[in-house]
Amino acid sequence: MIDINSEKKIAVLIDAENAHYTVLDSVLKELSKHGHILVKKAYADWTADNLKNWKQPLNELAINPIQQFSYTQGKNSSDAAMIIDAMDLLYSKKFDAFALISSDSDFTKLASRLKESEIFVFGVGEKKTPIAFRNACDDFMYTEVLKERSVGKEETDTAIKKVSKPTPNEIRNKLRGDTKLVKILRGAANEYQDDEGWSFLAFCGSLIKRQYPDFSSKNYGYNTLSELIEATALFEIDRRVRDSGAIHIYIRDMRRNGA
């Protein structure tokens, strides 16, 4: 049994008028890795015809639909209802993490307010989500990436058969050609390097997440930051075994040795 006192207690709030029901299962599974979901609510004017396909996933995933009529055309009343509920949940002091599922920048202020109260904020939305909302969160996940990772093994195997797998050199060159990625990785490594140029990877990862909440190794097809860094071949990697048996990973910029 999960000890909810030892994990994040998460409230999931869904802007159904600015999200898609097909991502819900993948999103909830990902959030469950970070803690125990205590509340799941979806906000919309459920009388709208374009939301009729939400009924089945809401029932299957035990998400509570919150009805909010649109009083004025062009105004999203459900956003206000979601924000009010979020503040009520905040003041209950039962939660230490919120997940805001929306691609709408209107929730930027809410995310910032929650963080001011030392609440961890997950954001979940499409890649088109305005950068202000993404940066207001502690961790922002792209729904496109979550959907890609949830593709069944059978479909994945079929795709592999149809498309030739890129070589390690092709992958390396593509990653190195991403100037933003290279800048992020080298910048973090530079902040924590010791006299010999080695940086503790865990510290680098934490810094990257604080500076770029929407950064994830999964966005590049890798489960861990160490796998992504290894694929770039921009860094030396040193795995050090501690007395406890734990393995600490250190990285060093290849340029230090003229590579």
Side-chain angles (χ1 to χ4, degrees):
M1 180 178 293
I2 295 176
D3 179 6
I4 64 174
N5 293 317
S6 64
E7 298 190 351
K8 283 187 174 68
K9 302 177 186 65
I10 306 173
V12 178
L13 306 181
I14 305 165
D15 172 16
E17 295 177 346
N18 214 311
H20 202 275
Y21 65 91
T22 58
V23 305
L24 295 179
D25 185 54
S26 300
V27 169
L28 293 178
K29 285 178 179 176
E30 184 65 27
L31 290 171
S32 294
K33 298 175 184 178
H34 299 273
H36 189 59
I37 299 174
L38 301 182
V39 168
K40 292 177 284 186
K41 295 185 177 184
Y43 300 79
D45 180 358
W46 298 108
T47 63
D49 290 337
N50 64 313
L51 297 175
K52 60 183 180 181
N53 291 329
W54 279 74
K55 182 178 179 179
Q56 183 175 341
L58 289 178
N59 287 334
E60 291 178 351
L61 298 171
I63 298 171
N64 183 19
I66 306 299
Q67 170 63 29
Q68 180 60 53
F69 290 106
S70 298
Y71 300 118
T72 305
Q73 187 175 2
K75 298 293 184 180
N76 196 338
S77 300
S78 62
D79 283 7
M82 180 168 154
I83 292 171
I84 291 170
D85 265 10
M87 298 311 296
D88 287 341
L89 293 171
L90 170 65
Y91 295 142
S92 74
K93 298 184 178 180
K94 294 179 180 179
F95 305 91
D96 46 29
F98 277 66
L100 307 178
I101 303 177
S102 178
S103 301
D104 192 341
S105 62
D106 288 349
F107 294 103
T108 302
K109 181 61 178 178
L110 173 59
S112 298
R113 176 64 182 83
L114 292 170
K115 287 179 66 174
E116 288 173 7
S117 296
E118 299 182 2
I119 297 295
F120 192 95
V121 180
F122 295 100
V124 184
E126 298 178 348
K127 291 182 178 180
K128 68 179 183 181
T129 303
I131 192 170
F133 180 35
R134 284 183 275 152
N135 286 339
C137 301
D138 291 293
D139 187 354
F140 194 90
M141 309 174 196
Y142 292 122
T143 54
E144 293 93 337
V145 174
L146 294 177
K147 285 181 68 175
E148 288 172 6
R149 295 181 64 232
S150 68
V151 174
K153 187 177 186 303
E154 183 177 339
E155 294 180 28
T156 302
D157 291 343
T158 300
I160 290 174
K161 291 177 182 177
K162 292 181 178 179
V163 182
S164 59
K165 189 175 181 180
T167 66
N169 283 342
E170 289 174 330
I171 294 173
R172 180 197 64 196
N173 292 337
K174 181 179 180 180
L175 293 174
R176 286 186 170 191
D178 188 330
T179 55
K180 181 179 179 181
L181 171 63
V182 173
K183 180 180 178 181
I184 289 173
L185 297 179
R186 281 179 167 161
N190 184 62
E191 285 297 322
Y192 290 106
Q193 64 182 354
D194 58 22
D195 292 340
E196 296 181 348
W198 291 103
S199 307
F200 185 30
L201 183 59
F203 289 167
C204 296
S206 295
L207 176 62
I208 290 172
K209 203 61 182 174
R210 291 195 299 272
Q211 293 179 330
Y212 305 92
D214 60 346
F215 180 91
S216 172
S217 58
K218 297 180 178 64
N219 295 344
Y220 300 91
Y222 295 90
N223 288 323
T224 64
L225 180 59
S226 61
E227 291 176 355
L228 172 60
I229 285 178
E230 191 167 8
T232 68
L234 292 171
F235 300 87
E236 296 177 75
I237 299 178
D238 184 13
R239 293 175 170 84
R240 305 175 187 178
V241 181
R242 298 303 182 187
D243 293 338
S244 63
I247 298 177
H248 287 187
I249 300 176
Y250 287 78
I251 61 174
R252 181 166 64 181
D253 196 328
M254 288 282 196
R255 295 179 302 178
R256 187 180 178 89
N257 295 325

